Amino acid sequence: MDGPAPDGRPPAGLRGLTPAARTALAASAAFALLTLWVILAAARPLPFDTGPHAWSLAHRPPAALDVARAVTATGTGVWPYALVVLAGLYAGRAVRDRLATVAGLALCLALGQGVRRALMSLVARPRPPAADWATHAANWSFPSGHATTGALTAGLLLVALALRGSPGPARTAAAALIVLWGAAVGLSRVYLGVHWLSDVLGGWLLATAWLALAALVRRSYRRGAAART
């Protein structure tokens, strides 16, 4: 089996892969390993779950809970779709291009959520004790739906940002805010006691793999379209 090259480059078998393909493989492998660990734990929290959960329970002033609930509300329901629609309208330049971009971003988000729901039902991990919850929650725990959706939405917003405009301080600041929002949505679920940290990490890994796979599909479609013209 190929090992790392002496100059630190990836093994020879991986050098022909695009960054998106490498990201998809790495995130998928990490998600698979984490999922297996969760399954083998048989409904028990993982070793790194208990510390953040206990800290959250011990640090819950009313104002912080209000902020966490407000943040977590933006990671579900109509909000993510509204954001990707606005992002698609921003990224496109002509009317047809904008509509196609909106449709592509919304489809990527919807399919990603469908995959997450299927995996959640298959793993069927219980949530933390209901007595620890500071907000409403339903269904199973792994991977976190809010964390997955927030990360998917943030990734799609970054794509839209990259498609329109030139690099600069404003775009860098916008990208940083998007990343912080996506992370905050996931972490709010731990703070509110309805998810373990491993649920959130699983959601982030799943979203990363899905976005990288979507990039590969888009690249393949564009290359096929170019070959037909």
Side-chain angles (χ1 to χ4, degrees):
M1 183 172 61
D2 292 337
D7 58 4
R9 290 179 298 170
L14 298 179
R15 289 178 204 162
L17 298 178
T18 64
R22 293 177 190 171
T23 301
L25 284 174
S28 298
F31 177 75
L33 290 173
L34 180 59
T35 302
L36 180 61
W37 194 4
V38 167
I39 292 172
L40 292 176
R44 295 187 303 273
L46 301 187
F48 58 86
D49 284 330
T50 53
H53 185 76
W55 185 92
S56 299
L57 295 179
H59 298 82
R60 282 183 171 177
L65 284 177
D66 289 341
V67 171
R69 292 186 184 113
V71 170
T72 210
T74 64
T76 189
V78 70
W79 286 104
Y81 287 96
L83 288 172
V84 298
V85 166
L86 292 175
L89 293 175
Y90 167 79
R93 298 184 182 276
V95 173
R96 183 176 179 180
D97 187 30
R98 287 176 176 174
L99 292 177
T101 305
V102 166
L105 296 181
L107 180 62
C108 180
L109 177 58
L111 292 177
Q113 287 187 310
V115 170
R116 185 266 305 168
R117 290 190 183 97
L119 289 169
M120 184 179 280
S121 297
L122 285 172
V123 176
R125 185 190 199 186
R127 290 180 181 271
D132 298 340
W133 297 4
T135 190
H136 172 74
N139 300 318
W140 299 107
S141 192
F142 182 91
S144 164
H146 280 71
T148 306
T149 302
L152 282 173
T153 305
L156 294 172
L157 294 180
L158 292 175
V159 168
L161 200 62
L163 290 174
R164 185 74 181 269
S166 56
R171 197 170 86 171
T172 301
L177 288 174
I178 289 169
V179 171
L180 286 174
W181 169 78
V185 169
L187 293 176
S188 70
R189 307 304 284 171
V190 178
Y191 186 71
L192 294 170
V194 293
H195 275 294
W196 302 113
L197 180 60
S198 54
D199 299 328
V200 173
L201 293 177
W204 289 344
L205 288 171
L206 177 60
T208 301
W210 187 256
L211 290 169
L213 179 61
L216 290 174
V217 171
R218 179 177 182 271
R219 180 173 182 268
S220 177
Y221 173 79
R222 290 173 66 88
R223 290 180 65 180
R228 291 191 293 269
T229 58

